[in-house]
Amino acid sequence: SGFQVWRSWDEEGGLRDELYDLARRNPQIAKLVVLGETYNGREIIALKLTQGARGIADGTRPAVLYSSLQHAREWISGEVNRRLLHHFVDGWRANDREIRSLLRRNEYWFVLVANPDGYQYTFDEERLWRKNLRDNDGDGEITQLDGVDPNRNYPEHFKYDEEGSSSLSSSDTYRGPAAASEPETQAMMDLYDRVRFAFHVNWHSTGEWLLYPEGWQIGTPTADDPIYFALSGNRDTPAIPGWEPGLSSDVLYVTNGETTDFAHAQRGTLAWTPELGEGVPGSGFVFPDDEALIQAEFEKTLPFALDVAMSAADPDDPVSH
Ligand code: 0X9
Ligand code: ZN
């Protein structure tokens, strides 16, 4: 693709190929599940990691979901999540005691590319595309009038107000014609039906915030706040250095039909939207194609991701380092 680090979905050796290769090479710990298909026929893929992955039913062990690239242009989210996936697999292969123990006790589910149509489109057509590729006006081509924001399409306070999502098909926060109308939403909800997740980390960019629900409204704390606090830290001692943790609607803005709100309100899953950094100030969604900067972003977030992984069996008593 002409990039050093970034890889598309479709290309040979791209992210889709990588998921299949990883599952094929690690049958003891990895199982690939196709959750659904996008408008353009791309697979929406989840990978389960746990010892004996193929011999035990999904959802047998305490489970954590790590997802990324729900928004097409937020490339750093996929790369951070991909490195986390490799951290588990490489740790297993290297006989790392801590990783081996984590993979014996819990299940880790990865959806690296939650919006594969949109993601591919950012390579082929428009780097800053955010939504999926629903043809809203049915004219057979994709223009600025098309696409649904997958992070406004969930059946939790869907369409609650116009501030938190848009009725306009041209908007970047267009919620879609109905709750869960989109194949990307349905795929994730199917996964939620298959597995009861203790935690969900839905990587996004950008902002250096560690956001948690429920962000359809402002100010109402939830009974789970102590767990969110313990794992996210606070302004003075954030779990991820330099980031601001807090209620998503308070730190950023209100949203409705949003993924982590659905996870928390309807599935009892403790969920975050970590908003990764820009790599270089001013880069926005175009995180530099720079191995060292990308690796640094991953390493900065790794302790948080591992604390979540370690806390899966007993979310009420979270581990934090
Ligand atoms: O707007 C979003 O979907 C997320 N931000 S992004 O810039 N990656 O698009 C944030 C969603 C977090 N939830 C709330 N802010 N309520
Ligand atoms: Zn996003």
Coordinates of all heavy atoms in Angstrom, one line a residue, residues 70-71 73-74 130 149-152 164 172-173 202-207 209 211-217 247-256 258-261 272-276 285, ligand 1:
Q70 N -13.9 1.1 14.4 CA -15.3 1.3 14.2 C -15.5 2.6 13.4 O -16.4 2.7 12.5 CB -16.0 1.5 15.6 CG -17.5 1.7 15.6 CD -18.0 1.7 16.9 OE1 -17.4 2.3 17.9 NE2 -19.2 1.2 17.1
H71 N -14.6 3.6 13.6 CA -14.5 4.7 12.7 C -13.3 4.5 11.8 O -12.2 4.3 12.2 CB -14.3 6.0 13.5 CG -15.6 6.4 14.2 ND1 -15.6 7.0 15.5 CD2 -16.9 6.3 13.9 CE1 -16.9 7.2 15.8 NE2 -17.7 6.8 14.9
R73 N -11.4 6.2 9.7 CA -10.2 7.0 9.6 C -9.3 6.9 10.8 O -8.1 7.4 10.8 CB -10.6 8.4 9.4 CG -11.3 9.1 10.5 CD -12.0 10.4 10.1 NE -12.8 10.9 11.1 CZ -13.7 11.9 10.9 NH1 -13.8 12.5 9.7 NH2 -14.4 12.4 11.9
E74 N -9.7 6.2 11.9 CA -8.9 6.3 13.1 C -7.9 5.1 13.1 O -8.0 4.2 14.0 CB -9.9 6.2 14.3 CG -10.8 7.5 14.3 CD -12.0 7.5 15.3 OE1 -12.0 6.6 16.1 OE2 -12.9 8.3 15.1
R130 N -15.3 8.5 7.8 CA -15.6 8.0 9.2 C -16.6 6.8 9.3 O -16.4 5.9 10.1 CB -16.1 9.2 10.0 CG -16.8 8.8 11.4 CD -17.3 10.1 12.0 NE -18.2 9.9 13.1 CZ -17.8 10.1 14.4 NH1 -16.5 10.3 14.7 NH2 -18.7 9.9 15.4
D149 N -23.0 6.3 10.9 CA -22.0 6.3 12.0 C -22.3 5.0 12.9 O -23.3 5.0 13.6 CB -22.0 7.5 12.8 CG -21.0 7.6 13.9 OD1 -20.3 6.5 14.2 OD2 -20.8 8.6 14.6
P150 N -21.4 4.0 12.8 CA -21.7 2.8 13.6 C -21.8 3.1 15.1 O -22.4 2.3 15.9 CB -20.6 1.9 13.3 CG -19.9 2.5 12.1 CD -20.2 3.9 12.1
N151 N -21.2 4.2 15.5 CA -21.2 4.5 17.0 C -22.4 5.4 17.4 O -22.4 6.0 18.4 CB -19.9 5.2 17.4 CG -19.5 4.9 18.8 OD1 -20.0 3.9 19.4 ND2 -18.6 5.7 19.4
R152 N -23.4 5.4 16.5 CA -24.7 6.1 16.9 C -25.9 5.2 16.5 O -27.0 5.6 16.6 CB -24.8 7.4 16.1 CG -23.8 8.4 16.3 CD -23.8 9.0 17.7 NE -22.8 10.1 17.9 CZ -21.5 9.9 18.1 NH1 -21.0 8.6 18.2 NH2 -20.7 10.9 18.2
G164 N -26.9 14.4 20.2 CA -26.0 13.3 20.4 C -25.9 12.4 19.2 O -25.1 11.5 19.1
D172 N -21.6 13.3 9.7 CA -20.7 12.3 10.2 C -21.2 11.5 11.4 O -20.6 10.5 11.7 CB -19.3 13.0 10.5 CG -18.3 12.7 9.5 OD1 -18.5 11.8 8.6 OD2 -17.2 13.3 9.5
T173 N -22.3 12.0 12.0 CA -22.8 11.3 13.1 C -24.3 10.9 12.8 O -25.1 10.7 13.7 CB -22.8 12.1 14.4 OG1 -23.6 13.4 14.2 CG2 -21.4 12.5 14.9
N202 N -13.2 -0.1 23.6 CA -13.5 0.2 22.2 C -12.6 1.4 21.7 O -12.9 2.6 21.8 CB -15.0 0.7 22.1 CG -15.5 0.9 20.7 OD1 -15.0 0.3 19.7 ND2 -16.6 1.7 20.6
W203 N -11.4 1.0 21.2 CA -10.4 2.0 20.9 C -10.8 2.9 19.8 O -11.3 2.5 18.8 CB -9.1 1.3 20.4 CG -8.5 0.3 21.3 CD1 -8.5 -1.1 21.2 CD2 -7.6 0.6 22.5 NE1 -7.7 -1.7 22.2 CE2 -7.2 -0.7 23.0 CE3 -7.2 1.8 23.1 CZ2 -6.4 -0.8 24.1 CZ3 -6.4 1.7 24.2 CH2 -6.0 0.4 24.7
H204 N -10.6 4.2 20.0 CA -10.9 5.2 19.0 C -9.8 6.3 19.0 O -8.8 6.1 19.8 CB -12.2 6.0 19.4 CG -13.5 5.3 18.9 ND1 -14.3 5.8 17.9 CD2 -14.1 4.1 19.3 CE1 -15.3 4.9 17.7 NE2 -15.2 3.9 18.6
S205 N -9.9 7.3 18.2 CA -9.0 8.4 18.3 C -9.7 9.7 17.8 O -10.7 9.5 17.0 CB -7.7 8.2 17.4 OG -8.0 8.3 16.0
T206 N -9.3 10.9 18.1 CA -8.2 11.3 18.9 C -8.6 12.2 20.1 O -9.6 12.8 20.0 CB -7.1 12.1 18.1 OG1 -7.7 13.3 17.7 CG2 -6.7 11.3 16.8
G207 N -7.7 12.2 21.0 CA -8.0 13.2 22.1 C -7.2 12.9 23.4 O -7.1 13.8 24.2
W209 N -8.1 10.8 25.8 CA -9.2 10.7 26.9 C -9.5 9.2 27.1 O -9.4 8.4 26.2 CB -10.5 11.4 26.5 CG -10.3 12.9 26.2 CD1 -9.9 13.8 27.0 CD2 -10.7 13.5 24.9 NE1 -9.9 15.1 26.4 CE2 -10.4 14.9 25.1 CE3 -11.3 13.1 23.7 CZ2 -10.7 15.9 24.1 CZ3 -11.5 14.0 22.8 CH2 -11.2 15.4 23.0
L211 N -12.7 7.5 28.1 CA -14.1 7.8 28.3 C -14.9 6.6 28.8 O -14.6 5.5 28.3 CB -14.7 8.4 27.0 CG -13.9 9.5 26.4 CD1 -14.5 9.9 25.0 CD2 -13.8 10.8 27.3
Y212 N -15.8 6.9 29.7 CA -16.7 5.8 30.0 C -18.2 6.2 30.1 O -18.4 7.4 30.2 CB -16.2 5.0 31.3 CG -15.9 5.9 32.5 CD1 -16.9 6.4 33.3 CD2 -14.6 6.3 32.8 CE1 -16.6 7.2 34.4 CE2 -14.3 7.1 33.9 CZ -15.3 7.5 34.7 OH -15.0 8.3 35.8
P213 N -19.1 5.3 30.1 CA -20.5 5.6 29.9 C -21.1 6.0 31.3 O -20.5 5.9 32.3 CB -21.1 4.3 29.4 CG -20.1 3.3 29.6 CD -18.8 3.9 30.0
E214 N -22.4 6.5 31.3 CA -23.2 6.5 30.0 C -23.4 7.9 29.5 O -23.9 8.8 30.2 CB -24.6 5.9 30.4 CG -24.5 4.4 30.7 CD -25.9 3.8 31.2 OE1 -26.9 4.4 31.0 OE2 -25.7 2.7 31.8
G215 N -22.9 8.0 28.3 CA -22.7 9.3 27.7 C -23.9 9.9 26.9 O -23.7 10.9 26.2
W216 N -25.1 9.3 27.1 CA -26.2 9.9 26.4 C -26.7 11.1 27.2 O -27.6 11.9 26.8 CB -27.4 8.9 26.2 CG -27.9 8.3 27.5 CD1 -27.3 7.2 28.2 CD2 -28.9 8.8 28.4 NE1 -28.0 7.0 29.4 CE2 -29.0 8.0 29.5 CE3 -29.8 9.9 28.2 CZ2 -30.0 8.2 30.5 CZ3 -30.8 10.1 29.2 CH2 -30.8 9.2 30.4
Q217 N -26.2 11.3 28.4 CA -26.6 12.3 29.3 C -25.4 12.8 30.1 O -24.3 12.2 30.0 CB -27.7 11.8 30.3 CG -27.2 10.5 31.0 CD -26.4 10.6 32.2 OE1 -26.9 11.3 33.2 NE2 -25.2 10.0 32.2
L247 N -16.4 10.7 32.6 CA -17.7 10.4 31.9 C -17.6 11.0 30.5 O -17.3 12.2 30.3 CB -18.8 11.0 32.7 CG -20.2 10.8 32.2 CD1 -20.6 9.4 32.3 CD2 -21.2 11.7 33.0
S248 N -17.9 10.2 29.5 CA -17.7 10.5 28.1 C -18.5 11.8 27.7 O -17.9 12.7 27.0 CB -18.2 9.4 27.2 OG -19.5 9.1 27.5
S249 N -19.7 12.0 28.3 CA -20.5 13.2 27.9 C -19.9 14.4 28.6 O -20.1 15.6 28.1 CB -21.9 13.0 28.4 OG -21.9 12.5 29.7
D250 N -19.2 14.3 29.7 CA -18.7 15.4 30.5 C -17.3 15.8 29.9 O -17.1 16.9 29.5 CB -18.5 14.9 31.9 CG -18.0 16.0 32.8 OD1 -18.1 17.2 32.5 OD2 -17.4 15.6 33.9
V251 N -16.4 14.8 29.6 CA -15.1 15.1 29.1 C -15.2 15.6 27.6 O -14.5 16.5 27.2 CB -14.2 13.9 29.2 CG1 -12.9 14.1 28.5 CG2 -13.9 13.5 30.7
L252 N -16.1 14.9 26.9 CA -16.2 15.2 25.4 C -17.5 15.8 25.0 O -17.7 17.0 24.9 CB -15.9 13.9 24.6 CG -15.8 14.0 23.1 CD1 -14.7 15.0 22.7 CD2 -15.4 12.6 22.6
Y253 N -18.5 15.0 24.7 CA -19.9 15.5 24.4 C -20.9 14.3 24.5 O -20.5 13.2 24.7 CB -19.9 16.0 22.9 CG -19.1 15.2 21.9 CD1 -19.5 13.8 21.6 CD2 -18.1 15.7 21.2 CE1 -18.8 13.1 20.7 CE2 -17.4 14.9 20.2 CZ -17.8 13.6 20.0 OH -17.1 12.9 19.1
V254 N -22.1 14.7 24.5 CA -23.1 13.6 24.6 C -23.3 12.9 23.2 O -23.0 13.5 22.2 CB -24.5 14.1 25.0 CG1 -24.5 14.7 26.4 CG2 -25.1 15.1 24.1
T255 N -23.6 11.6 23.3 CA -23.9 10.8 22.1 C -25.1 10.0 22.5 O -25.4 9.7 23.7 CB -22.7 9.9 21.8 OG1 -22.5 9.0 22.9 CG2 -21.4 10.6 21.5
N256 N -25.8 9.5 21.5 CA -26.8 8.5 21.8 C -26.7 7.4 20.7 O -26.2 7.5 19.7 CB -28.2 9.0 21.9 CG -28.5 10.0 20.8 OD1 -28.5 9.6 19.6 ND2 -28.8 11.3 21.1
E258 N -24.8 4.9 21.3 CA -23.4 4.6 21.3 C -23.0 3.3 21.9 O -23.8 2.7 22.7 CB -22.7 5.8 22.1 CG -21.2 5.9 21.9 CD -20.5 5.5 23.2 OE1 -21.2 4.7 24.0 OE2 -19.4 5.9 23.4
T259 N -21.9 2.7 21.4 CA -21.5 1.3 21.7 C -21.4 1.1 23.2 O -21.9 0.1 23.8 CB -20.2 1.0 21.0 OG1 -20.3 1.4 19.7 CG2 -19.9 -0.5 21.1
T260 N -20.6 1.9 23.9 CA -20.3 1.6 25.3 C -21.5 1.9 26.2 O -21.7 1.2 27.2 CB -19.1 2.5 25.9 OG1 -19.4 3.9 25.8 CG2 -17.8 2.2 25.1
D261 N -22.4 2.8 25.8 CA -23.7 2.9 26.5 C -24.5 1.7 26.4 O -25.1 1.2 27.4 CB -24.5 4.1 26.0 CG -24.0 5.5 26.5 OD1 -22.9 5.5 27.1 OD2 -24.7 6.5 26.3
W272 N -15.2 1.1 27.9 CA -14.5 2.4 27.7 C -14.4 2.7 26.2 O -14.3 1.8 25.4 CB -13.0 2.3 28.2 CG -12.9 2.4 29.7 CD1 -12.7 3.5 30.5 CD2 -12.8 1.2 30.6 NE1 -12.5 3.1 31.8 CE2 -12.6 1.7 31.9 CE3 -12.9 -0.1 30.4 CZ2 -12.5 0.9 33.0 CZ3 -12.9 -1.0 31.5 CH2 -12.7 -0.4 32.8
T273 N -14.3 4.0 25.9 CA -13.8 4.5 24.7 C -12.5 5.3 24.9 O -12.5 6.4 25.3 CB -14.9 5.5 24.0 OG1 -16.2 5.0 24.1 CG2 -14.5 5.9 22.6
P274 N -11.4 4.6 24.8 CA -10.1 5.3 24.9 C -9.9 6.1 23.6 O -10.0 5.5 22.5 CB -9.1 4.2 25.0 CG -9.8 2.9 25.2 CD -11.2 3.1 24.5
E275 N -9.6 7.4 23.7 CA -9.4 8.2 22.5 C -7.8 8.4 22.4 O -7.3 9.1 23.2 CB -10.1 9.5 22.6 CG -11.6 9.5 22.7 CD -12.2 9.5 21.3 OE1 -11.5 9.4 20.3 OE2 -13.5 9.6 21.2
L276 N -7.2 7.6 21.5 CA -5.8 7.6 21.4 C -5.2 9.0 20.9 O -6.0 9.8 20.4 CB -5.3 6.5 20.4 CG -5.6 5.1 21.0 CD1 -5.9 4.1 19.9 CD2 -4.4 4.7 21.9
F285 N -6.6 12.8 12.8 CA -6.8 11.4 12.5 C -5.7 10.8 11.7 O -5.6 9.5 11.6 CB -8.1 11.2 11.8 CG -9.3 11.7 12.6 CD1 -10.1 12.8 12.2 CD2 -9.7 11.0 13.8 CE1 -11.1 13.2 13.0 CE2 -10.8 11.4 14.6 CZ -11.5 12.5 14.1
Ligands
0X9_1 O1 -18.0 10.5 18.8 C1 -17.6 9.4 19.0 O2 -18.2 8.4 18.6 C2 -16.4 9.1 19.8 N1 -15.4 10.1 19.5 S1 -14.6 10.1 18.0 O3 -13.8 11.3 17.9 N2 -13.6 8.9 18.0 O4 -15.6 9.9 17.0 C3 -16.7 9.3 21.3 C4 -17.8 8.5 21.9 C5 -17.7 8.5 23.4 N3 -19.0 8.8 24.0 C6 -19.4 10.0 24.3 N4 -18.7 11.1 24.1 N5 -20.6 10.1 24.8

